[in-house]
């Protein structure tokens, strides 16, 4: 098949909401690691500095939330996953070892958004306190707790748009530091997330529109107030670097679990993708540390594959002036039970950084997500939300999907795949109320 014919088939599958697997033809074309793409907005130094800052922030998190945040700080366990917990299509023997990265267990915010959201809000608070002459850059982050600094932060506003989890993360850390917080919620946001934010003292503005429209509404509001800061999910490098700082945590845990990355065996990482910041940051951070050895795959719902829609635009055509692709261009509505992934248009920043790095992407039906939620709960006691389980499809698909045949051959075939380590990034779920969770379990049991 020619590349054009391949692309037409992919686009037809995308429009028809048929689950598909796409291998990124641009991966590795210009090497790996920072600078892999021309004129990149972030480099290895940004990544290294973010990792160090994230470590230094942990004392502040423990001080702000002494009951919720223990010795490990804002970090999550890496658990082995029994082969029986994977979708039945998988020949478990052939897939190598599978782990789950439990970001559902992240303290306070209960999702991967604790990484990016906390990192950006603390970085911003520290920067404005330094600008105001209240702190010096060499002071520890705990100095944000000093009374004069808190009084200053209480005069400043934070704004963010969210389908739910980013709002929870920014809202909870922002309020804890003393900021006034306004969260613009898209149509996808669940009532309990709004209630939780209001209880923390955040103002919740409800929009009947999709997520991208809520982002633009929040941006417009923030632009009119110089004492405010907008946490920009489309453009923020701070959010992105907060997610990237998860990379050393994972590499250390793999070592502790006996995975000998030094032997050169491949690491496959499967991360659910919404606008792209969380999975993109993780893929970027891991590629800084491991280069070609890590193969990052994103998972998107069949109704909201916004990153795939953008990456299918040839790089040559993706100028800064070009309009971003949207899932609406494919006749899709972006509606999914996976609210964290209900995004119609990807981040341009992240799409650009992923072109030379991402290994591939696959799409998943909602019924499958619900079935995974039910299976992981009944079989492994893991309480995950539908957005959090999309990556569970990956290990099996990489072994069996005909669309990955060329990729498997290039990797070295079955023998190499069998030595691979897979990390399925479980991105959230521990805060979900009982009634919502049991409704998913019922739906998941029906789905099979
Ligand atoms: C936000 C979110 C994602 C995806 O992150 P993006 O930065 O939007 O791509 C995945 N899972 C959960 C649970 C989320 O809340």
């Amino acid at each position: 098949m020619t590349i054009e014919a391949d692309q037409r088939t992919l686009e037809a599958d995308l429009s028809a909401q048929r689950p598909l697997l796409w291998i990124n033809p641009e991966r590795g074309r210009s090497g790996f690691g920072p600078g892999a793409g021309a004129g990149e907005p972030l480099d290895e130094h940004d990544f290294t500095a973010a990792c160090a800052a994230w470590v230094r922030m942990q004392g502040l998190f423990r001080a702000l939330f002494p009951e919720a945040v223990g010795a490990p700080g804002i970090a999550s366990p890496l658990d082995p996953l029994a082969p029986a917990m994977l979708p039945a299509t998988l020949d478990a023997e052939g897939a190598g070892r599978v782990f789950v990265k439990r970001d559902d267990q992240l303290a306070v915010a209960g999702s991967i958004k604790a990484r990016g959201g906390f990192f950006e809000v603390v970085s911003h608070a520290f920067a404005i306190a330094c600008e105001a002459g209240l702190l010096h850059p060499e002071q520890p982050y705990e100095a944000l707790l000093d009374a004069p600094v808190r009084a200053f932060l209480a005069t400043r506003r934070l704004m963010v748009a969210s389908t739910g989890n980013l709002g929870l993360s920014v809202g909870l850390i922002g309020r804890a530091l003393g900021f006034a917080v306004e969260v613009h919620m898209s149509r996808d946001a669940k009532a309990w997330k709004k209630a939780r934010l209001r209880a923390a003292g955040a103002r919740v503005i409800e929009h009947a529109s999709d997520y991208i429209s809520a982002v633009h509404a929040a941006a417009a509001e923030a632009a009119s107030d110089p004492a405010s800061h907008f946490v920009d999910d489309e453009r923020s490098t701070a959010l992105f670097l907060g997610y990237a700082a998860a990379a050393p945590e994972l590499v250390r845990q793999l070592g502790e679990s006996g995975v000998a990355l030094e032997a050169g065996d491949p690491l496959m990482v499967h991360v659910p993708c919404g606008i792209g910041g969380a999975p993109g940051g993780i893929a970027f951070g891991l590629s800084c540390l491991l280069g070609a050895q890590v193969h990052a795959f994103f998972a998107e719902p069949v109704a909201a594959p916004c990153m795939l829609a953008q990456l299918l635009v040839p790089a040559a055509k993706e100028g800064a002036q070009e309009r971003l692709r949207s899932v609406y261009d494919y006749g899709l509505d972006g509606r999914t039970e996976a609210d964290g992934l209900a995004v119609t248009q990807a981040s341009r920043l992240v799409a650009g950084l992923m072109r030379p790095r991402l290994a591939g992407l696959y799409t998943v039906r909602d019924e499958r997500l619900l079935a995974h939620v039910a299976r992981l709960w009944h079989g492994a006691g893991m309480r995950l939300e539908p957005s959090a389980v999309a990556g569970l499809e990956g290990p099996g698909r990489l072994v069996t999907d005909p669309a990955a045949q060329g990729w498997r051959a290039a990797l070295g075939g079955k023998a190499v795949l069998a030595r691979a380590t897979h990390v399925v990034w479980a991105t959230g779920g521990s805060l979900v109320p009982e009634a919502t969770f049991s409704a998913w379990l019922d739906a998941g049991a029906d789905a099979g």
Side-chain angles (χ1 to χ4, degrees), residues 254-345:
L254 286 169
E256 288 164 3
S257 305
V259 175
L261 288 172
E262 319 76 75
D265 292 341
L267 173 67
M268 319 296 183
V269 181
H270 304 272
V271 203
C273 179
I275 201 163
I282 285 164
F284 180 83
L286 288 170
S287 90
C288 285
L289 296 179
L290 300 170
Q293 194 177 359
V294 62
H295 301 254
F297 286 87
F298 290 178
E300 297 190 296
V302 289
C306 62
M307 186 59 76
L308 181 57
Q310 187 58 28
L311 291 176
L312 285 177
V313 178
K317 287 205 186 153
E318 198 195 38
Q321 281 78 41
E322 278 301 310
R323 189 182 65 85
L324 280 166
R325 283 286 176 93
S326 143
V327 304
Y328 299 138
D329 298 336
Y330 289 92
L332 303 173
D333 64 5
R335 292 194 183 249
T336 162
E337 192 55 38
D339 54 348
L341 313 181
V343 181
T344 54
Q345 198 173 285

Side-chain angles (χ1 to χ4, degrees), residues 111-113 163 165-166 193 211 233 243 271-280 339-341 343 385 387-388 427-429:
S111 83
I112 193 166
K113 299 297 193 309
T163 65
N165 286 342
L166 183 61
K193 292 184 182 172
Y211 179 52
D233 209 9
Y243 296 120
V271 203
C273 179
I275 201 163
D339 54 348
L341 313 181
V343 181
E385 57 188 272
S387 301
T427 46

Side-chain angles (χ1 to χ4, degrees), residues 79-88 98-105 270 272 367-395 423-429 437 440-441 444-445 448:
D79 291 342
L81 189 70
M85 291 298 103
L86 289 163
V98 184
F99 293 89
V100 190
K101 182 66 175 149
R102 301 289 306 277
D103 273 9
D104 57 301
Q105 299 282 306
H270 304 272
E367 304 89 83
R368 298 275 295 182
L369 298 179
L370 291 165
H372 297 337
V373 168
R375 194 172 59 260
L376 282 166
W377 170 249
H378 295 303
M382 293 183 192
R383 187 188 179 88
L384 302 173
E385 57 188 272
S387 301
V389 295
L392 210 69
E393 293 277 320
V423 173
V424 173
W425 216 287
T427 46
F437 191 69
W440 286 333
L441 292 183

Side-chain angles (χ1 to χ4, degrees), residues 30-82:
S30 39
F32 289 91
E40 294 207 307
L42 292 171
D43 62 20
E44 180 126 41
H45 299 292
D46 299 314
F47 168 67
T48 313
C51 293
W54 182 242
V55 170
R56 283 187 283 110
M57 284 179 194
Q58 299 305 320
L60 173 66
F61 299 142
R62 281 188 288 265
L64 283 172
F65 309 105
E67 262 128 64
V69 181
I74 301 288
S76 70
L78 181 71
D79 291 342
L81 189 70

Side-chain angles (χ1 to χ4, degrees), residues 62-271:
R62 281 188 288 265
L64 283 172
F65 309 105
E67 262 128 64
V69 181
I74 301 288
S76 70
L78 181 71
D79 291 342
L81 189 70
M85 291 298 103
L86 289 163
T89 47
L90 180 62
D91 152 22
E93 290 286 293
R97 294 171 73 182
V98 184
F99 293 89
V100 190
K101 182 66 175 149
R102 301 289 306 277
D103 273 9
D104 57 301
Q105 299 282 306
L106 287 178
V108 187
S111 83
I112 193 166
K113 299 297 193 309
R115 299 183 184 276
F118 283 24
F119 183 82
E120 168 149 356
V121 171
V122 171
S123 301
H124 170 70
F126 197 78
I128 59 174
C130 288
E131 268 168 44
L134 294 166
L135 293 180
H136 299 289
E138 318 76 57
Q139 281 182 274
Y141 286 107
E142 283 90 328
L144 287 169
L145 300 169
D146 296 350
V149 179
R150 285 190 66 92
F152 166 70
L153 295 180
T155 66
R156 309 292 287 226
R157 291 160 79 196
L158 283 181
M159 275 143 192
V160 67
S162 180
T163 65
N165 286 342
L166 183 61
L168 268 183
S169 163
V170 168
L172 296 175
I173 186 79
R175 290 297 299 140
L177 286 169
F179 283 102
V181 181
E182 281 161 50
V183 183
H184 291 252
M185 291 286 209
S186 70
R187 66 187 181 193
D188 316 283
K190 304 276 186 259
W192 69 266
K193 292 184 182 172
K194 299 177 194 168
R196 189 114 186 185
L197 274 169
R198 289 190 175 114
R203 214 182 122 214
V204 175
I205 299 106
E206 300 181 63
H207 293 269
S209 57
D210 68 21
Y211 179 52
I212 296 300
S213 307
V215 170
H216 296 158
E221 176 93 21
S224 69
D225 178 2
S228 73
H229 174 72
F230 174 49
V231 177
D232 189 346
D233 209 9
E234 286 184 310
R235 291 186 184 81
S236 168
T237 51
L239 265 179
F240 185 85
L241 289 168
Y243 296 120
E249 180 184 313
L250 175 68
V251 169
R252 179 176 43 75
Q253 289 172 321
L254 286 169
E256 288 164 3
S257 305
V259 175
L261 288 172
E262 319 76 75
D265 292 341
L267 173 67
M268 319 296 183
V269 181
H270 304 272
V271 203

